[in-house]
């Protein structure tokens, strides 16, 4: 197939985000011939993997695709956070300083994104999006099924009924292409794979069926593009925002702290009086802990201070050490005043420092990131892509760029998560952590994307480059392997 080079003015892009789709699940369905429309689409294109952003959870991990920036840079460090400089312990009067995008505050996400970060919807006004929580830059008519998102998002979690959300996205997406001759960028989120994964396993029959229906949507989409004469002008990407793993044990961090004598504030129990800790869980494979959250302060407390007995006033002298030795915990991370990120696992401590372009990781008494290393962001990605914690040094440094990030980041081991008591219905599988099965995602395209290792944040640059829109200054994503044209001869 020899695909012609479209003129710059005709170029279009469709980004299909299959929420929570594991790359190995997608690859095995493709290899088994069960995704025939994808198979045809990818002929001459790319079937690779990318590394998502931490925390590997819905909405936060969409930010890289839509802004070219990592979550910390966007000042959206997680799906739940506390404004340490504003919260003074009055849980009702100051509820605006404690955030959860999982409930009534979901609509605040757009305004919470750092004001100097531009969304692709602002940069490409001829955009439309389907089922996304991030809508900054979209006029209401370009966000046509927001009402369906709120409706299905609210009830599917309890009714275990996710396919209608995907069906609404598929219908609206194809209809948009039929109706609007001038579109340039379309973003469609398919929620069902993630929804069914949480209730079963990442490769359960219902998950596979939802993926197969996305494949049907690709078939309908391609047919519509072809009949419009737009197929050769359109870059089509299929990605995910995170992976998933089966959760065998829930260690509810808020309960864990309370059992050790620490009055703890956590969603939905925000009314805790005189809290010594606040816990904000994401995904549920990671969490942020804030010490002494009822006393406003700007500075983060370093690990040495968090280890002091008086910090949490727990019944253990060094609560951090006890936590880091829990089987559920891979490691914890905190930041020193000079920017050093200090990690602790069951064996001891290690440090990450950034100087110019060089990021240096040095094990001290412990070694959670597997050996000393120093290199650029690209070198880190290449080195850690298939490691236990892909891109961890870059992602942790990013987390601490946000003033909203907690004093301590807690990263779960595979098979564990940090929420139990209030997770109804129970999550049988989850995500949110930094390990490979949560951080690697599929990155499929109908065009050749080049061979360099990718972060999802780089795909923002790929899309803008394809659309011939200049990249904004100061973004985290970089153009790795511009889209090759023609894709393949033969
Ligand atoms: Zn999820």
């Amino acid at each position: 197939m020899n695909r012609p080079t479209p003129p710059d003015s005709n170029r279009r892009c469709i980004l299909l985000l299959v929420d929570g789709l594991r790359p190995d699940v997608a690859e095995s369905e493709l290899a088994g011939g069960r995704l025939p429309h994808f198979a045809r689409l990818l002929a001459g294109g790319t079937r690779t993997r990318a590394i998502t952003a931490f925390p590997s959870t819905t909405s936060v991990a969409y930010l890289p695709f839509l802004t070219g920036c990592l979550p910390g840079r966007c000042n959206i460090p997680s799906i739940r956070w506390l404004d340490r400089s504003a919260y003074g312990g009055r849980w009702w009067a100051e509820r605006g300083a404690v955030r959860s995008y999982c409930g009534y505050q979901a609509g605040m996400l757009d305004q919470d994104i750092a004001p100097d970060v531009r969304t692709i919807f602002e940069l490409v006004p001829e955009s439309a999006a389907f089922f996304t929580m991030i809508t900054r830059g979209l006029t209401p008519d370009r966000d046509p099924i927001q009402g369906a998102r709120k409706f299905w998002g609210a009830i599917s979690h309890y009714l275990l009924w996710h396919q209608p959300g995907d069906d609404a996205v598929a219908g609206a997406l194809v209809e948009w292409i039929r109706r609007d001759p001038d579109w340039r960028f379309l973003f469609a989120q398919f929620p069902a794979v993630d929804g069914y994964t949480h209730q079963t396993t990442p490769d359960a029959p219902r998950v596979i069926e939802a993926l197969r229906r996305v494949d049907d949507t690709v078939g309908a989409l391609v047919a519509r593009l072809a009949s419009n004469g737009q197929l050769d002008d359109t870059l089509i990407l299929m990605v995910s925002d995170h992976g998933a793993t089966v959760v065998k044990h829930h260690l509810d961090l808020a309960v864990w702290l309370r059992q050790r004598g620490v009055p703890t504030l956590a969603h939905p129990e925000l009314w805790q009086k005189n809290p010594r800790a606040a816990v904000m869980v994401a995904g549920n494979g990671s969490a942020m802990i804030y010490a002494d959250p009822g006393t406003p302060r700007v500075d983060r407390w370093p690990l040495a201070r968090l280890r002091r007995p008086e910090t949490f006033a727990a019944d253990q002298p060094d609560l951090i050490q006890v936590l880091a030795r829990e089987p559920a915990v891979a490691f914890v991370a905190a930041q020193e005043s000079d920017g050093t990120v200090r990690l602790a696992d069951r064996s001891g401590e290690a440090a990450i420092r950034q100087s110019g372009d060089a990021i240096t990781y040095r094990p001290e008494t412990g070694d959670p990131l597997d050996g000393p290393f120093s290199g650029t962001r690209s070198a880190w990605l290449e080195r850690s892509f298939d490691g236990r914690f892909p891109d961890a040094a870059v992602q942790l440094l990013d987390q601490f760029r946000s003033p909203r990030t907690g004093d301590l980041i807690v990263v779960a081991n595979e098979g564990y998560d940090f929420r139990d008591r209030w997770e109804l219905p129970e999550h049988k599988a989850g995500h949110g952590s930094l390990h490979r099965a949560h951080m690697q995602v599929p990155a499929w395209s109908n065009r050749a994307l080049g061979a360099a290792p990718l972060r999802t944040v780089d795909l923002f640059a790929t899309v803008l480059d394809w659309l011939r829109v200049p990249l904004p200054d100061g973004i985290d994503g970089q153009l790795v392997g511009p889209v090759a044209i023609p894709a393949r001869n033969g």
Side-chain angles (χ1 to χ4, degrees):
M1 185 168 33
N2 192 350
R3 291 191 180 136
T5 306
D8 288 359
S9 58
N10 285 2
R11 291 174 174 224
R12 302 161 187 271
C13 175
I14 300 174
L15 181 59
L16 307 170
L17 194 157
V18 183
D19 201 293
L21 177 62
R22 275 181 66 122
D24 53 346
V25 170
E27 287 157 12
S28 112
E29 290 307 295
L30 187 70
R34 292 179 293 275
L35 302 175
H37 299 293
F38 271 119
R40 268 194 293 280
L41 185 73
L42 299 177
T46 301
R47 197 215 67 193
T48 187
R49 296 182 180 190
I51 299 299
T52 189
F54 176 79
S56 50
T57 196
T58 302
S59 71
V60 185
Y62 288 15
L63 289 163
F65 298 110
L66 298 177
T67 68
C69 296
L70 294 172
R73 169 72 184 84
C74 291
N75 206 13
I76 309 285
S78 184
I79 54 169
R80 300 181 179 93
W81 50 261
L82 181 141
D83 184 345
R84 189 179 36 236
S85 66
Y87 189 70
R90 296 183 302 155
W91 74 274
W92 181 252
E94 293 167 343
R95 62 193 182 281
V98 186
R99 190 74 82 250
S100 166
Y101 301 118
C102 303
Y104 75 97
Q105 294 174 321
M108 300 173 85
L109 182 52
D110 277 338
Q111 73 197 54
D112 287 339
I113 299 172
D116 62 329
V117 167
R118 313 275 317 270
T119 68
I120 193 165
F121 307 130
E122 294 171 305
L123 296 164
V124 184
E126 306 89 350
S127 293
F130 309 90
F131 225 79
T132 174
M133 276 177 76
I134 297 161
T135 62
R136 191 201 271 182
L138 287 173
T139 52
D141 58 313
R142 293 187 170 275
D143 179 21
I145 56 166
Q146 192 60 232
R149 186 187 75 77
K150 286 175 183 153
F151 177 74
W152 289 113
I155 68 166
S156 61
H157 188 63
Y158 300 100
L159 297 183
L160 318 185
W161 205 22
H162 303 281
Q163 188 61 45
D166 273 23
D167 294 347
V169 173
L173 174 64
V174 176
E175 172 61 14
W176 193 278
I177 295 168
R178 192 188 67 75
R179 198 168 53 77
D180 174 16
D182 299 322
W183 67 272
R184 292 187 73 204
F185 176 69
L186 303 178
F187 175 58
Q189 182 217 330
F190 295 85
V193 163
D194 184 61
Y196 290 128
T197 294
H198 282 300
Q199 289 150 18
T200 53
T201 62
D203 59 352
R206 279 200 289 184
V207 175
I208 301 297
E209 174 59 16
L211 176 59
R212 201 196 54 70
R213 297 231 210 152
V214 174
D215 185 68
D216 287 345
T217 300
V218 167
L221 193 65
V222 166
R224 174 47 62 187
L225 290 169
S227 77
N228 284 7
Q230 296 168 337
L231 189 55
D232 285 334
D233 303 338
T234 304
L235 171 67
I236 303 174
L237 295 165
M238 190 284 286
V239 296
S240 180
D241 55 336
H242 56 75
T245 46
V246 170
V247 178
K248 297 202 181 81
H249 308 280
H250 306 286
L251 182 145
D252 195 309
L253 264 186
V255 172
W256 186 92
L257 285 160
R258 289 178 194 134
Q259 284 169 345
R260 281 151 190 82
V262 183
T264 300
L265 176 164
H267 289 93
E269 298 168 276
L270 300 182
W271 48 83
Q272 176 68 53
K273 264 198 187 141
N274 303 321
R276 301 295 306 173
V279 173
M280 301 284 139
V281 180
N284 297 323
S286 68
M288 306 193 292
I289 297 180
Y290 302 72
D292 194 17
T295 310
R297 69 186 145 90
V298 173
D299 293 341
R300 222 170 251 125
W301 284 354
L303 201 60
R305 173 142 190 196
L306 298 173
R307 284 184 182 281
R308 284 192 213 154
E310 68 271 20
T311 299
F312 294 105
D315 58 12
Q316 323 264 343
D318 179 354
L319 198 64
I320 301 300
Q321 186 173 66
V322 182
L323 180 61
R325 287 179 178 169
E326 280 288 342
V329 175
F331 60 85
V332 299
Q335 189 192 35
E336 330 245 279
S337 56
D338 69 354
T340 300
V341 174
R342 185 158 288 279
L343 315 183
D345 68 2
R346 57 180 51 252
S347 59
E349 293 191 5
I352 303 168
R353 292 185 180 86
Q354 181 157 21
S355 169
D357 286 343
I359 297 171
T360 302
Y361 167 72
R362 190 161 297 134
E364 293 174 4
T365 47
D367 183 16
L369 299 189
D370 301 326
F373 186 73
S374 184
T376 61
R377 286 161 38 103
S378 303
W380 269 100
L381 183 66
E382 200 162 332
R383 179 213 190 219
S384 62
F385 199 98
D386 291 311
R388 282 197 305 155
F389 301 108
D391 210 26
V394 171
Q395 300 291 333
L396 289 168
L397 284 167
D398 170 68
Q399 278 282 291
F400 287 113
R401 286 198 286 183
S402 169
R404 294 167 175 160
T405 295
D407 296 301
L408 192 73
I409 294 172
V410 191
V411 174
N413 265 319
E414 199 167 325
Y416 294 87
D417 75 4
F418 293 138
R419 206 152 189 266
D420 189 10
R421 185 157 169 227
W422 287 101
E423 198 60 76
L424 306 168
E426 181 195 1
H427 277 188
K428 293 178 179 152
H431 47 87
S433 186
L434 250 174
H435 53 73
R436 185 175 57 238
H438 291 183
M439 294 297 287
Q440 282 194 356
V441 296
W444 294 1
S445 169
N446 65 334
R447 297 265 177 183
L449 296 180
L454 276 173
R455 295 182 177 93
T456 57
V457 76
D458 298 326
L459 291 171
F460 175 85
T462 305
V463 171
L464 287 194
D465 181 63
W466 171 259
L467 295 175
R468 297 295 184 251
V469 174
L471 296 184
D473 291 335
I475 61 171
D476 295 319
Q478 47 191 6
L479 188 60
V480 254
V483 176
I485 303 168
R488 190 182 71 180
N489 292 313

